[in-house]
Amino acid sequence: MPELPEVEIVRRGLNRLVIGKTISAIDILWDKTVNGSHDEFKKRLIGRTIARIDRRGKYLLFRFNDNLTMVSHLRMEGHYQLVQKIDEPFMKHTCVTFTFTDGTQLRYIDSRKFGRMDLIATDEQDSFKGLAKLGPEPLTDNFDVPDFARTLRRHHKPIKTTLLDQTTVAGIGNIYADETLWMSYIHPLQPADTLTDDEIKLLHDNIIKELKLSIAKGGTTFHSFIGADGKQGEFQHDLHVYNHVGEPCERCGTTIVKIKVNQRGTSFCPHCQVLYKDRIVR
DNA sequence: CGATGCCTGCCC
DNA sequence: GGGCAGGCATCG
């Protein structure tokens, strides 16, 4: 399901819905969702109050007092639902429930069961696997053109692959990689270390622009993505190449095609996004 | 590095 | 029935 904009929408929804709630019980219905000892997980969380929810890349970070953070990654299909009473019917594939002292319940639902939760010490967040190697947050000042250029020059592999690598920039996934490359007139197979300065600047600016716009529209909803408040996103109507295979490019009318790049479906316009095979490696 | 595994649902 | 799906960790 979710890339940075969708996770950010979930974070904002949860911040409206569950801040200040105290956990009274936890049920783990799918074992693998929670990494590490389940007893420890429950023992350390029950009785705690949610202080706030942060985000780093595609990771949600539930903050508790006393240096405690629950890391939640939704992977492809994970989402949260807050119900007002614990006896409300369960959605299929409910994996974990957090019951609160006020009688409401937060449920984690994940049809493909890829999502994972971990409990970590907040002050050790930067050494936690997954979080440790994340690149800059694209919507902060940490994401600047010179650093981005330096990173791209280290990668002699397709720019699409490099964008999906979370050490390059945190939070870009398959949709926003394809979309920002289309916006920037860059072929997905163009080696990252052959981009021109102009292309790097354009791509950098388009990443920021596109992620911000998507957040403003509530994210992209295809099938499963809904915010914790049950609202769907609207950004799917603004996509140009993703999910538009076989349709005319809105800039030039050429048919959008699909290829595989590192086993990921990759959509682009073969006219607007030209591959320069002989371009000099920088 | 690239390939594979994790899962279920949906579309052809 | 086969192939594919918004992602990542782990394997060889």
Side-chain angles (χ1 to χ4, degrees):
Chain A
M1 160 184 79
E3 304 180 31
L4 186 149
E6 293 75 39
V7 178
E8 176 62 17
I9 293 300
V10 171
R11 185 192 76 80
R12 291 181 186 185
L14 289 172
N15 266 326
R16 281 200 311 274
L17 294 171
V18 300
I19 292 229
K21 292 189 185 250
T22 301
I23 299 173
S24 60
I26 297 174
D27 245 343
I28 300 170
L29 307 167
W30 185 261
D31 280 358
K32 289 188 184 174
T33 302
V34 174
N35 283 325
S37 156
H38 290 187
D39 282 349
E40 189 80 355
F41 186 83
K42 293 177 186 175
K43 196 188 305 178
R44 291 179 68 189
L45 284 176
I46 289 171
R48 301 267 180 178
T49 303
I50 299 176
R52 66 171 189 283
I53 296 107
D54 292 334
R55 179 189 58 72
R56 177 78 174 97
K58 302 172 197 168
Y59 292 82
L60 288 168
L61 306 165
F62 289 72
R63 305 297 194 187
F64 299 87
N65 292 336
D66 301 324
N67 200 29
L68 193 64
T69 293
M70 186 185 84
V71 182
S72 169
H73 197 301
L74 310 172
R75 296 284 183 98
M76 299 287 255
E77 301 284 343
H79 63 271
Y80 283 97
Q81 170 199 30
L82 182 74
V83 296
Q84 293 306 309
K85 293 192 184 301
I86 60 169
D87 57 5
E88 284 191 29
F90 276 67
M91 291 186 72
K92 208 175 171 185
H93 307 301
T94 300
C95 297
V96 183
T97 64
F98 302 86
T99 307
F100 299 115
T101 52
D102 66 358
T104 64
Q105 188 176 60
L106 184 67
R107 295 175 177 173
Y108 175 72
I109 300 132
D110 190 341
S111 64
R112 287 176 77 180
K113 303 182 171 69
F114 286 175
R116 294 293 180 263
M117 296 176 188
D118 282 273
L119 215 48
I120 63 168
T122 304
D123 62 9
E124 290 171 14
Q125 178 182 314
D126 292 342
S127 57
F128 176 71
K129 70 171 161 54
L131 289 171
K133 293 179 296 180
L134 286 184
E137 278 296 316
L139 300 184
T140 70
D141 294 343
N142 291 331
F143 182 49
D144 63 41
V145 174
D147 273 351
F148 188 47
R150 270 189 289 277
T151 304
L152 296 191
R153 280 177 206 136
R154 289 203 316 269
H155 291 278
H156 186 60
K157 54 186 180 186
I159 182 62
K160 164 83 186 264
T161 309
T162 307
L163 284 180
L164 289 180
D165 180 345
Q166 300 298 295
T167 69
T168 304
V169 192
I172 297 179
N174 216 27
I175 296 177
Y176 299 100
D178 285 1
E179 290 298 314
T180 54
L181 289 173
W182 179 85
M183 292 166 79
S184 308
Y185 298 83
I186 300 169
H187 192 289
L189 289 175
Q190 190 70 41
D193 60 356
T194 66
L195 296 201
T196 66
D197 287 342
D198 285 348
E199 285 171 336
I200 292 170
K201 168 85 167 93
L202 188 60
L203 181 56
H204 169 273
D205 293 355
N206 280 330
I207 287 170
I208 295 172
K209 186 167 144 190
E210 189 74 346
L211 295 178
K212 278 188 177 169
L213 186 60
S214 179
I215 292 170
K217 300 230 175 179
T220 301
T221 294
F222 282 132
H223 39 278
S224 70
F225 172 69
I226 45 169
D229 53 7
K231 280 201 208 106
Q232 299 199 27
E234 292 297 334
F235 195 65
Q236 61 275 15
H237 306 304
D238 293 59
L239 299 177
H240 306 104
V241 284
Y242 191 91
N243 218 30
H244 287 272
V245 177
E247 298 170 22
C249 170
E250 62 190 67
R251 287 191 302 226
C252 72
T254 305
T255 303
I256 303 297
V257 299
K258 190 167 188 175
I259 59 172
K260 285 271 185 191
V261 179
N262 285 43
Q263 8 280 8
R264 306 297 303 277
T266 299
S267 310
F268 69 103
C269 170
H271 179 261
C272 291
Q273 296 168 267
V274 177
L275 179 60
Y276 298 97
K277 286 183 181 164
D278 301 324
R279 213 190 252 173
I280 304 296
V281 175
R282 300 150 61 96

